[in-house]
Amino acid sequence: MIRGFTFERALSWPFTAPHVASFPWIFGLVYALVFMAVSGAVVLLAADDFTALFAAMEAVEGSTNPDAGFDILFGGLARLIPWMVLSGLASWMIWAMFETASQRRYIRGEAFSLGFGADEARMMVVGLLWGLIGFALIAVPILLIMWSALAAVFAGAEGMTDAEVGERILGPMFGAMGLSVLVFPVYVFLATRLAPCFGLTVRERKIRFFDAWNVSRGRFWPILGAYVILAIAGSILGQVITGIAQMIIMPATMDLANAADQGADMRGLILSPAFLVPMGAYLFIVLYVQGVLQHAVGGPAAFAVRHDPRGGIEEESQIEAFN
């Protein structure tokens, strides 16, 4: 019997799809290990540049010349730009690998596997399109907020009073907040309607972005509702877990702050086992939870792809079996 797409089935799909006993936990484990390895490599390779930034920040605090202080600070930040670009590209590629693995389970019923091929390359393109639409919607409010912050900095440097600074930035700041309130529902609508693009791209082995609009037609509220329930429940559980982890590592961070105040070498402190071990454990827990949650919230939209109104996977398999 073909049961079709329903809210209840979409909500439960992360827990009823094949390999539920192993896939989510392996996914979270590998997700955390891969991102930790990449992050650790970047930190080690850029250790000298991070040290220079910390030194620049200390120089700004003790500087009596604001212009010279900002020049030193911006110089330290500039050294990190290549590493930020490299990290962004690596994160984009890794995200595509894990998102493709996630969709393979939901769409094709495959066990966990990680690699990079044609599916992952197409997923990178779809992810880029998704990110560009999101950026286009939030770019204006962000630019207004950044402009307000810069205006406040320059106004303070010009010797303006706090009241005058407030008057200068108040209008743009409230304008940005109001615009954000108006843009958010538009973003939610577009994100929900286009959410099946990831599963559709994996299913058809072609880049399918705007075609997701046809899959989500008439299913906006079930997809959004299932996503929100999974996201909220997962976020609450994740906050509890990471909160406990924060309490465990708090002594290590306090010791680091105290040693830094006493003038200890920052690079030596950051690379010491007393700091790396608890921070590594905390980062692993955070990334593990993030990975499992990323996989779970993608289930409802992927389930909609399996029941594409133009011909779903389950419907086609039922027809083939009947014939």
Side-chain angles (χ1 to χ4, degrees):
M1 181 181 67
I2 302 175
R3 291 181 288 172
F5 178 89
T6 65
F7 166 74
E8 292 78 10
R9 295 189 70 200
L11 178 62
S12 63
W13 187 233
F15 315 104
T16 57
H19 309 291
V20 65
S22 59
F23 191 103
W25 324 118
I26 297 175
F27 185 96
L29 174 64
V30 179
Y31 183 95
L33 292 177
V34 169
F35 270 102
M36 284 185 66
V38 173
S39 301
V42 171
V43 170
L44 288 175
L45 292 173
D48 292 337
D49 296 323
F50 279 111
T51 302
L53 177 61
F54 291 137
M57 294 172 66
E58 293 176 356
V60 169
E61 292 180 359
S63 176
T64 57
N65 185 342
D67 293 334
F70 280 119
D71 288 341
I72 295 173
L73 181 59
F74 288 139
L77 289 172
R79 295 181 59 174
L80 294 179
I81 291 177
W83 297 111
M84 294 170 63
V85 173
L86 180 62
S87 299
L89 292 174
S91 298
W92 181 21
M93 181 178 296
I94 294 171
W95 167 85
M97 294 167 63
F98 279 97
E99 184 63 26
T100 303
S102 179
Q103 294 297 331
R104 283 196 186 111
R105 178 205 172 202
Y106 287 139
I107 301 300
R108 303 176 188 168
E110 296 182 9
F112 179 81
S113 64
L114 198 66
F116 193 89
D119 282 339
E120 288 75 13
R122 287 189 288 266
M123 190 63 70
M124 289 185 68
V125 176
V126 173
L128 177 62
L129 294 173
W130 178 277
L132 288 175
I133 285 182
F135 177 77
L137 289 172
I138 65 174
V140 174
I142 289 177
L143 290 174
L144 283 173
I145 292 173
M146 292 177 60
W147 183 84
S148 300
L150 289 174
V153 171
F154 288 118
E158 293 173 0
M160 298 178 66
T161 63
D162 291 342
E164 291 172 332
V165 171
E167 291 178 359
R168 173 174 291 190
I169 68 173
L170 198 59
M173 188 66 71
F174 276 109
M177 294 172 59
L179 190 58
S180 299
V181 172
L182 294 175
V183 165
F184 182 72
V186 178
Y187 174 77
V188 170
F189 176 75
L190 291 177
T192 304
R193 290 301 306 270
L194 295 173
C197 65
F198 306 110
L200 195 61
T201 296
V202 169
R203 179 193 171 187
E204 300 191 7
R205 291 181 169 87
K206 297 178 181 178
I207 297 173
R208 290 289 184 262
F209 186 70
F210 294 107
D211 198 30
W213 200 269
N214 297 314
V215 177
S216 60
R217 180 176 288 115
R219 299 169 172 180
F220 173 83
W221 290 112
I223 293 175
L224 178 60
Y227 173 87
V228 169
I229 291 173
L230 290 170
I232 292 177
S235 296
I236 292 174
L237 181 60
Q239 288 294 326
V240 172
I241 295 173
T242 55
I244 296 173
Q246 285 177 357
M247 294 176 62
I248 295 174
I249 69 160
M250 189 173 294
T253 57
M254 293 298 296
D255 292 341
L256 178 69
N258 293 333
D261 290 339
Q262 295 173 6
D265 177 44
M266 285 297 298
R267 178 173 181 173
L269 291 173
I270 293 175
L271 298 178
S272 66
F275 177 75
L276 287 179
V277 172
M279 284 302 298
Y282 172 73
L283 182 61
F284 174 81
I285 293 172
V286 171
L287 289 172
Y288 185 91
V289 172
Q290 179 180 316
V292 174
L293 183 59
Q294 175 183 318
H295 174 63
V297 298
F303 189 74
V305 174
R306 289 183 62 87
H307 294 276
D308 189 332
R310 301 164 298 177
I313 296 174
E314 295 187 16
E315 288 78 4
E316 291 174 356
S317 63
Q318 290 285 346
I319 293 172
E320 291 177 1
F322 180 77
N323 291 334

